[in-house]
């Protein structure tokens, strides 16, 4: 059930194709498959097994048995940390394969795959490995007759549904805290990029995890994803993906009142004041929208600029973009801008570019598909101006290299435009006025605010959204609370 693969950069490996359940790769019961396609060449890479609801049930049963088994209970906090560190070591040893897989199947530039995705995944696992033996409850003095203490108890079987844009980092961000807290897991990868998470499954047994503790499957969202989200023996769902699917998952999770973490979409603002360092703002706002060809939930896709510097900023943004956005083969070292992940996403992004034009916005730069040598789902870095707040390109998440630039007159107006959205994930403010920077940070409806940078994140700092951008947060210490419940134990001393 394996296949030998050689990526376009010459890196070779044996790719598993089955479902990883109970520490074994097994076939799907339904015989359905998912085909992994290279978005650069538009050619098939290989096909993997797609889980049915029956396969999901098998994986959940394996995770439940593992959760209850003395062998997992015996793995105390320190041992769980050791296992996570081993997983990180294996990812580091196989970093070239993991990065090649991501560049081949996702289209992400190789250096971003190696350092922004695989590198992050290694760091995240080591970070949560360190937490594993530091997850303590409280002792509470209740007077002379009674004491109480709390235990941070694992939730049980956790279902994790990941997207396709940063597969390596997503695997680690989901597995790290769940395992550190003592849960067992069924993780479902996205059908758009089914190979990377499956390669991680090879490390699970080698690292020494007992069977059933980590199960990794592929499957279609409406079938396998829905089966996991609605399964009555799953205690928690942690989901990253679109707001539309997040709402669906919330409904399914209500069946047995699962604990839920949702990290969903965004339409994040970057506000640039007249006193900002414009070169710095032009650099970071390019990074904020164009990284990973705009396929980042936290992309700052609405740039709000003080009217007095609007035209000057646009020129600087364009000049900076021409320097840092190099379109090409993502395996080439100089490439920073690869294709969109799939034909569906590519066509979706292009339809937004058409809607911007037909709704009357002005195309300042880009605006079209740019296949390389007649192939690939490439879209030019695109900027629209003269955008009205009712337009789709202002309101909806495009998930592509397209940004709208909107002028404002006052600080109040800037905040009003920034908050005129159903989303609340990310935001940025560029100014040299410290008091104003903090006023904006306090007033903006967003889970993350960057002052004079964008997406300059850190694994030690929680990341999450408000409004329709999600529930709960990931990374940092606060994420641990989303994988445990407080058990309060009372002791009667008056006997
Ligand atoms: P995108 O459209 O960008 O792929 P989605 O939110 O649809 O984003 O997908 C993110 C993840 O959610 C994927 O793993 C996908 O399989 C899964 N998914 C999609 N639809 C459902 C659903 N109805 N129930 C559960 N999971 C789903």
């Amino acid at each position: 059930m394996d296949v030998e693969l050689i990526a376009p950069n010459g890196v070779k490996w044996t790719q598993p194709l089955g479902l990883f359940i109970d520490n074994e790769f097994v076939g799907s019961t339904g015989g359905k498959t998912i085909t992994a396609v290279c978005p650069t060449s538009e050619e098939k890479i290989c096909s993997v097994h797609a889980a049915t609801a029956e396969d999901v049930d098998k994986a959940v049963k394996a995770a439940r048995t593992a959760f209850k088994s003395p062998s997992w209970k015996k793995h105390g906090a320190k041992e769980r940390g050791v296992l996570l560190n081993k997983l990180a070591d294996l990812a580091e040893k196989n970093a070239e394969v993991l990065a090649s897989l991501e560049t081949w199947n996702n289209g992400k530039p190789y250096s971003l795959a190696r350092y922004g995705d695989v590198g992050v995944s290694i760091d995240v696992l080591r970070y949560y490995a360190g937490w594993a033996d530091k997850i303590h409850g409280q002792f509470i003095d209740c007077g002379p007759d009674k004491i109480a203490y709390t235990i941070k108890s694992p939730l049980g079987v956790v279902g994790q549904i990941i997207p396709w844009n940063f597969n390596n980092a997503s695997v680690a961000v989901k597995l790290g805290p769940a395992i550190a807290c003592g849960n067992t897991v069924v993780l479902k990868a996205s059908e758009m990029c089914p190979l990377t998470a499956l390669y991680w499954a090879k490390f699970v047994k080698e690292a020494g995890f007992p069977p059933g503790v980590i199960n990794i499957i592929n499957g279609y969202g409406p079938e396998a994803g829905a089966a996991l989200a609605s399964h009555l023996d799953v205690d928690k769902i942690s989901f990253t993906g679109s707001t539309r699917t997040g709402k669906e998952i919330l409904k399914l999770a209500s069946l047995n009142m699962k604990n839920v973490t949702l990290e969903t979409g965004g339409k994040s603002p970057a506000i640039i004041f007249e006193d900002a360092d414009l070169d710095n703002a032009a650099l970071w706002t390019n990074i904020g929208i164009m990284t990973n060809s705009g396929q980042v939930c936290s992309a700052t896709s609405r740039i709000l600029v003080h009217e007095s510097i609007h035209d000057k900023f646009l020129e600087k943004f364009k000049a900076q973009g021409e320097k840092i956005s190099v379109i090409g083969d993502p395996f080439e070292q100089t490439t920073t801008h690869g294709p969109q992940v799939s034909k569906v996403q590519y066509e979706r992004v292009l339809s937004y570019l058409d809607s911007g034009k037909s709704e009357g916005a002005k195309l300042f730069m880009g605006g079209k598909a740019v296949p390389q040598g007649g192939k690939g789902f490439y879209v030019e870095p695109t900027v629209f101006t003269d955008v009205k707040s009712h337009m789709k390109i202002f309101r909806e998440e495009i998930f592509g290299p397209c940004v709208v630039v909107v002028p404002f007159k006052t600080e109040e107006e800037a905040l009003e435009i920034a908050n005129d959205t159903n989303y609340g994930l990310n935001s940025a403010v560029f100014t040299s006025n410290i008091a104003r920077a903090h006023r904006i940070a306090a007033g903006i409806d967003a889970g993350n605010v960057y002052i004079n940078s964008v997406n300059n994140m850190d694994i030690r700092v929680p990341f999450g959204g408000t409004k329709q951008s999600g529930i709960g947060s990931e990374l940092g210490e606060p994420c641990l609370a989303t994988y445990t419940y407080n058990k309060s134990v009372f002791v009667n001393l008056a006997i």
Side-chain angles (χ1 to χ4, degrees):
M1 218 177 294
D2 293 344
V3 67
E4 299 299 319
L5 292 180
I6 306 178
N9 60 347
V11 174
K12 292 185 209 170
W13 64 91
T14 305
Q15 174 67 38
L17 305 176
L19 309 169
F20 185 73
I21 299 175
D22 229 5
N23 271 6
E24 303 296 339
F25 287 99
V26 296
S28 138
T29 52
K32 270 197 207 163
T33 56
I34 294 170
T35 299
V37 173
C38 165
T40 312
S41 66
E42 303 180 34
E43 281 166 12
K44 173 180 169 174
I45 300 173
C46 63
S47 293
V48 299
H49 289 248
T52 58
E54 194 182 330
D55 299 318
V56 170
D57 187 52
K58 277 189 198 159
V60 171
K61 282 200 169 88
R64 175 61 63 194
T65 306
F67 184 69
K68 290 202 284 201
S69 82
S71 87
W72 183 235
K73 291 216 172 90
K74 189 183 87 205
H75 278 82
K78 187 173 143 209
E79 285 72 23
R80 295 199 299 272
V82 170
L83 288 173
L84 285 174
N85 269 324
K86 284 196 186 143
L87 204 56
D89 291 346
L90 286 165
E92 192 163 48
K93 200 169 135 200
N94 290 278
E96 219 185 13
V97 173
L98 293 172
S100 301
L101 259 172
E102 195 64 6
T103 297
W104 196 8
N105 191 191
N106 175 281
K108 178 182 278 113
Y110 186 82
S111 61
L112 179 62
R114 175 64 188 84
Y115 301 102
D117 191 34
V118 181
V120 168
S121 70
I122 297 164
D123 291 346
V124 166
L125 288 175
R126 291 192 174 137
Y127 173 78
Y128 284 108
W131 266 115
D133 61 357
K134 298 168 195 71
I135 302 168
H136 310 301
Q138 284 178 305
F139 172 84
I140 301 154
D141 185 347
C142 306
D145 293 342
K146 191 166 66 180
I147 58 168
Y149 62 92
T150 62
I151 302 171
K152 301 248 179 233
S153 295
L155 293 169
V157 175
V158 174
Q160 304 185 317
I161 299 178
I162 63 168
W164 44 264
N165 56 343
F166 285 87
N167 286 285
N168 292 291
S170 294
V171 166
V173 166
K174 297 290 183 204
L175 292 183
I179 297 298
C181 293
N183 300 283
T184 60
V185 171
V186 177
L187 182 144
K188 191 196 86 63
S190 164
E191 52 270 56
M192 298 264 204
C193 286
L195 303 179
T196 309
L198 209 50
Y199 197 77
W200 276 82
K202 286 176 65 146
F203 310 153
V204 171
K205 198 168 175 180
E206 197 178 338
F209 282 93
V213 169
I214 296 178
N215 305 277
I216 299 181
I217 60 173
N218 275 298
Y220 293 96
E223 187 172 4
L228 191 57
S230 59
H231 200 292
L232 298 181
D233 202 28
V234 170
D235 301 293
K236 178 193 175 84
I237 282 285
S238 174
F239 165 79
T240 303
S242 64
T243 291
R244 179 182 35 81
T245 304
K247 288 180 187 176
E248 193 56 36
I249 284 179
L250 203 50
K251 269 193 246 159
L252 297 173
S254 74
L255 288 172
N256 62 332
M257 219 193 267
K258 289 179 183 67
N259 179 307
V260 171
T261 298
L262 302 175
E263 204 270 89
T264 54
K267 191 72 185 176
S268 302
I271 306 175
I272 305 171
F273 285 97
E274 64 281 12
D275 58 359
D277 175 334
L278 275 196
D279 291 316
N280 180 62
L283 172 67
W284 280 105
T285 48
N286 260 288
I287 294 170
I289 182 64
M290 301 308 169
T291 300
N292 209 26
S293 301
Q295 303 170 126
V296 181
C297 56
S298 54
T300 37
S301 51
R302 293 182 299 143
I303 302 178
L304 318 182
V305 189
H306 190 266
E307 59 177 6
S308 64
I309 52 159
H310 180 262
D311 294 353
K312 197 168 158 201
F313 168 78
L314 277 172
E315 289 313 320
K316 284 196 183 276
F317 183 90
K318 187 174 184 182
Q320 191 60 254
E322 280 164 1
K323 255 194 257 166
I324 67 168
S325 288
V326 181
I327 301 176
D329 176 353
F331 279 109
E332 281 296 326
Q333 247 187 359
T334 47
T335 298
T336 58
H337 188 107
Q340 307 311 120
V341 70
S342 67
K343 193 157 196 275
V344 172
Q345 281 300 116
Y346 170 70
E347 286 170 353
R348 199 170 159 261
V349 173
L350 292 177
S351 79
Y352 274 110
L353 304 192
D354 287 344
S355 101
K357 293 171 200 164
S358 64
E359 285 193 297
K362 193 167 148 202
L363 192 59
F364 174 73
M365 61 181 254
K368 59 180 190 309
V370 280
Q372 303 292 292
K375 285 218 179 304
F377 308 131
Y378 290 88
V379 178
E380 277 181 313
T382 297
V383 178
F384 281 106
T385 59
D386 290 3
V387 175
K388 303 285 174 287
S389 66
H390 68 269
M391 292 180 182
K392 275 169 72 173
I393 53 168
F394 178 88
R395 303 219 77 81
E396 297 181 17
E397 183 178 43
I398 298 174
F399 225 64
C402 174
V403 69
V404 299
V405 177
V406 179
F408 68 84
K409 286 188 173 57
T410 62
E411 188 178 316
E412 294 69 31
E413 192 194 5
L415 256 186
E416 205 174 298
I417 302 172
N419 288 338
D420 178 18
T421 170
N422 290 333
Y423 295 107
L425 189 54
N426 211 10
S427 63
V429 52
F430 292 87
T431 179
S432 52
N433 179 332
I434 297 174
R436 175 151 67 187
H438 291 289
R439 272 199 307 274
I440 293 286
I444 211 150
D445 300 338
N448 314 283
V449 186
Y450 295 89
I451 296 173
N452 291 326
S453 73
V454 180
N455 277 346
N456 197 1
M457 41 195 312
D458 192 292
I459 58 170
R460 293 162 290 199
V461 183
F463 176 87
T466 183
K467 291 160 83 174
Q468 293 185 27
S469 287
I471 297 175
S473 58
E474 298 192 296
L475 298 177
E477 182 186 356
C479 180
L480 297 168
T482 72
Y483 282 104
T484 54
Y485 70 95
N486 276 314
K487 184 181 285 180
S488 299
V489 182
F490 293 87
V491 184
N492 182 6
L493 302 179
I495 55 166

